[in-house]
Amino acid sequence: MAQRRGFREYLAGLLAPRERNKTLTALAGAEPVTGSKLPAVQRLQFFLSESVWEPEAVNGRRLELLRADPATAPHEGGVLVIDDSGDRKDGTATAHVGRQYLGRYGKTDNGIVTVTTVWADEQVYYPLDAVPYTPAKYFAKGKNDPEFRTKLVIGAELAVRARAQGFAFRAVVADSAYGDQDGFRAELAEAGLPFVMALRPHRGTWARAADAHTPVEAARALAWGGPDDPGDWRPVTRTFRDGHAETWYAADATLGGWGPDGVRRLVVATADPGTLPDKATWYLVTNLARPGGPREQDSPWPAAPLAEIVRLYGIRNWIEQSYKQVKDELGWADFQVRSDIAIRRHQALVNCAFSFCWAARPGPSRPLSATPPAAGAAGGERGAASGPGAGPVLAPDATRRPGLAHPVDRAAALVDRMVYGAPAPAAASPDRLGDGRPRTEPLPATLIQRTTVNKISNRSRSLNH
């Protein structure tokens, strides 16, 4: 009973609006500093640091519920996104702290980096696993210690774990921090996993002097005579959440041993093949075969046309949006604990709160207000949200029970921000999902349905069993 109470109180604090960072005193509704010794704060501290529950078991139960729910069940048209994110932490006494590159700030600083996986399609996204990276200084033999694991190794292990847990996906997707690594791609291929990952434009490779040596040089070598004479490029329609569509162009390029019919394909997607703008051009490597190519028959996965490669990588934007929710709203980096187990428990609880935000909406299913995404909503982890959906929001529903007023109503408000403040991944078409299933209803009605106060109460109990 004590653990169930701690679970509910912690999630209530994470989901409740707070004017300060969601430290333990904030979660308990106590004054900062002076309230740190209050029983409610100490109870939450004990729940994280001293109790005996396993975060892996709670997370496993959360994933089981997500797989069983038709609104969030994984399918072959989705993707598994791998990424890592760092947060500043002072001192040296906290587990996993070290001076390392923190992607959120774009620089090297003292902090903690966590490798994460997210399952996503055009309509749904949610975190799967989170594993803190432990710097080499914590190991007796440094990077040569058998227990040391790089972020790349952790990411590959999480991808294999996701498949073993029953999460279907069309491909593993990741940014250039992972896509540039030959060893990481090889590990995924050896594990039998398809992938679509970004490359840096100027990532060099060995080639003959007359051939292209970087992805951007390979793209410039493709024929382009304008929209009326696209040459090697094929138009690809990207449809966004607010309803507008953009025509991009995609092509198979050749770089070293990579080519349209090689073991690795280099796919370039851009808004303008003539200028290859930095912020609207993707250089992608994949092991999915080209339709009609010599590798299609023997490939363990269905061949992927250019439009699908673009669609799969476009879904990756969801992980940048998820960082905004877990960090800016749910307090991912605000923990006040030092041990490894307590940090992992906090991360597991934040992921539970995130999942509740998708499921929890009191009252009958209905679409939210048709507010389009804010213009600056796609800034990702490092950017700041702007526009109509970026300010404080209030839950629209009346309180059903005083004891659940914060977690339930706040979840509804957070869902509103998730849906309409999110960057829109490219969809296969306006009326169909990426795996070919018809899009039968708008996004909010698909995600926010069936939930009542009783269901939230039942879910919180089932997670603790």
Side-chain angles (χ1 to χ4, degrees), residues 211-294:
D211 294 337
H213 291 77
T214 64
V216 68
E217 290 178 1
R220 288 170 180 160
L222 297 169
W224 169 253
D228 296 331
D229 181 20
D232 295 324
W233 299 85
R234 298 293 177 267
V236 175
T237 300
R238 300 188 62 205
T239 303
F240 292 83
R241 181 77 62 208
D242 62 358
H244 87 279
E246 295 180 7
T247 298
W248 279 36
Y249 292 86
D252 276 295
T254 300
L255 179 64
W258 297 354
D261 298 323
V263 177
R264 301 285 183 269
R265 289 169 66 191
L266 172 63
V267 174
V268 185
T270 181
D272 183 3
T275 61
L276 300 175
D278 291 341
K279 294 184 178 181
T281 302
W282 298 339
Y283 304 92
L284 308 173
V285 57
T286 181
N287 57 353
L288 293 170
R290 177 179 66 86

Side-chain angles (χ1 to χ4, degrees), residues 43-63:
R43 186 164 59 240
L44 290 183
Q45 176 74 63
F46 184 90
F47 175 66
L48 277 188
S49 301
E50 305 299 332
S51 57
V52 296
W53 63 278
E54 291 295 333
E56 293 80 7
V58 171
N59 192 58
R61 180 58 177 151
R62 177 182 69 90
L63 297 180

Side-chain angles (χ1 to χ4, degrees), residues 235-237 250 304-312 427-428:
V236 175
T237 300
L306 293 170
E308 184 174 16
I309 299 297
V310 175
R311 177 189 77 84
L312 292 173

Side-chain angles (χ1 to χ4, degrees), residues 205-440:
T205 189
W206 289 101
R208 292 182 300 178
D211 294 337
H213 291 77
T214 64
V216 68
E217 290 178 1
R220 288 170 180 160
L222 297 169
W224 169 253
D228 296 331
D229 181 20
D232 295 324
W233 299 85
R234 298 293 177 267
V236 175
T237 300
R238 300 188 62 205
T239 303
F240 292 83
R241 181 77 62 208
D242 62 358
H244 87 279
E246 295 180 7
T247 298
W248 279 36
Y249 292 86
D252 276 295
T254 300
L255 179 64
W258 297 354
D261 298 323
V263 177
R264 301 285 183 269
R265 289 169 66 191
L266 172 63
V267 174
V268 185
T270 181
D272 183 3
T275 61
L276 300 175
D278 291 341
K279 294 184 178 181
T281 302
W282 298 339
Y283 304 92
L284 308 173
V285 57
T286 181
N287 57 353
L288 293 170
R290 177 179 66 86
R295 291 184 54 239
E296 180 178 11
Q297 184 175 358
D298 297 329
S299 175
W301 317 289
L306 293 170
E308 184 174 16
I309 299 297
V310 175
R311 177 189 77 84
L312 292 173
Y313 191 74
I315 299 175
R316 185 198 166 275
N317 285 339
W318 282 132
I319 199 167
E320 302 293 352
Q321 181 66 15
S322 73
Y323 285 141
K324 285 184 174 294
Q325 275 103 45
V326 299
K327 295 187 176 184
D328 298 341
E329 297 287 351
L330 299 176
W332 177 271
D334 296 337
F335 57 82
Q336 288 180 306
V337 290
R338 290 185 173 179
S339 67
D340 168 71
I341 186 65
I343 292 172
R344 292 174 186 263
R345 285 170 176 168
H346 171 77
Q347 293 175 341
L349 292 168
V350 169
N351 284 342
C352 285
F354 184 96
S355 298
F356 275 10
C357 287
W358 284 114
R361 185 160 182 83
S365 300
R366 61 188 184 283
L368 302 175
S369 62
T371 305
E381 182 188 4
R382 302 177 194 175
S386 61
V393 291
L394 297 176
D397 299 286
T399 299
R400 305 304 174 90
R401 288 171 52 192
L404 291 177
H406 283 319
V408 174
D409 289 359
R410 180 57 174 166
L414 288 179
V415 171
D416 202 332
R417 293 184 68 171
M418 285 183 183
V419 172
Y420 291 113
S429 70
D431 60 344
R432 303 193 72 81
L433 300 181
D435 62 346
R437 293 180 296 144
R439 188 188 306 279
T440 57

Side-chain angles (χ1 to χ4, degrees), residues 31-46:
E31 291 293 329
V33 184
T34 58
S36 61
K37 300 301 181 182
L38 293 179
V41 179
Q42 290 298 301
R43 186 164 59 240
L44 290 183
Q45 176 74 63
F46 184 90

